[in-house]
Amino acid sequence: MYYEIGCDAARSGYEFIGGANLRGAKNTDLMARLADAGVDVVRGREAAAKSTSRRVMMLNTDSVKKNNVGYTIDSIAGVLTLADLTESCLKHLMRVSPDGFFMMVEGGTIDHAAHSNDAATVVMQTLDFDRSIGLVRQFAASHPGETLIVVTADHETGGMGMASLRHHYNQRLDLLAHQRMSKDAFAEWTSSVIKSGNAPAWEDMKGELARRVGLFGAVAVDEADEEALKALYETTLSHMGGDKKSTLYSSFDRFTDKVYDLMSALTGVGWTTGDHSGAVVPVFAEGEGQQLFAPAQDNVDIPVKIMKAVGL
């Protein structure tokens, strides 16, 4: 599949494609196909800025061995952020197509975190996406009367709600700021601890939870919840991780899943699913043609309206 997507990218005619990495290139002719199509595959912002090609594919530097951009909350050194990709794309398109262009920016990691029911990471990724929107709005402010910005989603994920069965409307969203790791990163850490054969005793684990997630630190945990967590921790250790709870993109040991479920409950965030929900999603529009997007609409009408706004 990755090879076919890469071949489509070569054929597409897009002038800028940005992401974490290029899969499908190992032991294939994909790099040759991209070169033949005039695509300069570059790694990092500096290399993208120096490229003189009309078509550019911008990826992480060679020092970052990641196939996704990762989560902001995990502070992955050297990784390209969505804002980095957005800014480089704007500069490139203004160089090669100054009379007009269409650009799409996807904050896909919001969806990934919501599949995991990881509230703090959803918030952080949304703020990361907002930084990209800010860059685009700055661009629009310097090109008045000729720029349209549309922000929407193809679906909601997780059925995320600002209330929980535990605390009802008494939210403490400020406590999410004490979480220092995504659920995915915590699960990886837990797995490494189990495999090391040197797992911390429960009291030491409480200290790790306070440092990494906020539980038993800024986020108070009562006796009943502690007993339930401790029991799951011991079961997870004795069964070398035990059975897993799987989502669309990840799988979690039951201890990790309970830790983040409790974090949501104690901060006042509720979830109805680990999949896509049927909730309506907002559509925001600003700039030339924004009035076309005022009423409720079917998502398939959005590209039609964009084309109408630009006179196609």
Side-chain angles (χ1 to χ4, degrees):
M1 177 182 70
Y2 297 119
Y3 171 75
E4 288 77 12
I5 292 172
C7 291
D8 285 344
R11 290 191 296 264
S12 68
Y14 287 137
E15 292 166 322
F16 186 96
I17 298 176
N21 210 347
L22 179 63
R23 296 192 236 188
K26 188 176 181 179
N27 300 322
T28 72
D29 64 348
L30 180 54
M31 294 303 293
R33 284 175 177 264
L34 289 166
D36 289 345
V39 180
D40 186 12
V41 180
V42 300
R43 292 190 171 274
R45 298 176 67 184
E46 291 185 6
K50 293 176 181 176
S51 176
T52 58
S53 175
R54 184 173 188 85
R55 301 187 65 194
V56 165
M57 179 179 287
M58 176 182 171
L59 308 172
N60 275 323
T61 63
D62 289 325
S63 64
V64 182
K65 306 299 184 182
K66 291 281 185 180
N67 285 327
N68 57 65
V69 295
Y71 294 128
T72 303
I73 198 170
D74 294 326
S75 302
I76 304 168
V79 73
L80 287 172
T81 66
L82 194 64
D84 291 336
L85 293 164
T86 301
E87 184 175 28
S88 293
C89 183
L90 282 170
K91 289 179 178 178
H92 177 76
L93 292 178
M94 279 302 293
R95 178 176 70 82
V96 302
S97 188
D99 294 330
F101 53 82
F102 173 84
M103 171 181 172
M104 189 188 82
V105 180
E106 181 183 9
T109 50
I110 301 171
D111 169 69
H112 290 208
H115 275 291
S116 300
N117 292 174
D118 182 353
T121 303
V122 168
V123 171
M124 290 291 287
Q125 294 312 117
T126 302
L127 291 172
D128 185 56
F129 184 53
D130 187 62
R131 282 188 278 274
S132 293
I133 296 172
L135 289 171
V136 175
R137 293 190 72 203
Q138 288 177 18
F139 173 86
S142 62
H143 297 81
E146 60 181 19
T147 307
L148 170 65
I149 303 170
V150 179
V151 181
T152 189
D154 52 342
H155 55 76
E156 194 275 341
T157 301
M160 187 179 185
M162 297 296 100
S164 71
L165 292 173
R166 175 73 69 91
H167 288 296
H168 305 289
Y169 301 114
N170 297 320
Q171 295 172 310
R172 289 297 309 276
L173 299 181
D174 57 303
L175 296 176
L176 292 174
H178 295 277
Q179 183 178 315
R180 295 287 182 262
M181 299 177 77
S182 68
K183 188 174 180 178
D184 292 69
F186 186 85
E188 290 178 9
W189 176 77
T190 302
S191 177
S192 68
V193 165
I194 292 171
K195 291 177 180 177
S196 73
N198 191 31
W202 176 244
E203 288 301 317
D204 294 325
M205 174 54 77
K206 285 168 63 176
E208 294 290 349
L209 287 170
R211 184 169 68 87
R212 297 172 185 273
V213 185
L215 296 178
F216 299 103
V219 184
V221 178
D222 65 26
E223 186 176 339
D225 284 327
E226 179 177 349
E227 287 303 313
L229 266 184
K230 181 180 179 182
L232 269 176
Y233 178 58
E234 292 173 348
T235 300
T236 300
L237 288 181
S238 63
H239 290 82
M240 293 298 290
D243 63 327
K244 304 282 188 178
K245 179 180 178 181
S246 296
T247 69
L248 185 60
Y249 298 106
S250 305
S251 63
F252 304 102
D253 62 83
R254 295 294 174 175
F255 174 64
T256 295
D257 191 53
K258 181 61 177 177
V259 165
Y260 283 78
D261 179 64
L262 186 59
M263 189 65 176
S264 288
L266 295 178
T267 54
V269 178
W271 305 91
T272 63
T273 180
D275 297 311
H276 300 161
S277 75
V280 296
V281 296
V283 179
F284 304 99
E286 180 179 77
E288 202 66 14
Q290 64 184 29
Q291 70 281 356
L292 297 171
F293 302 87
Q297 57 214 293
D298 193 309
N299 65 343
V300 299
D301 292 332
I302 291 176
V304 176
K305 293 180 178 182
I306 291 174
M307 292 178 71
K308 182 178 179 180
V310 298
L312 296 177

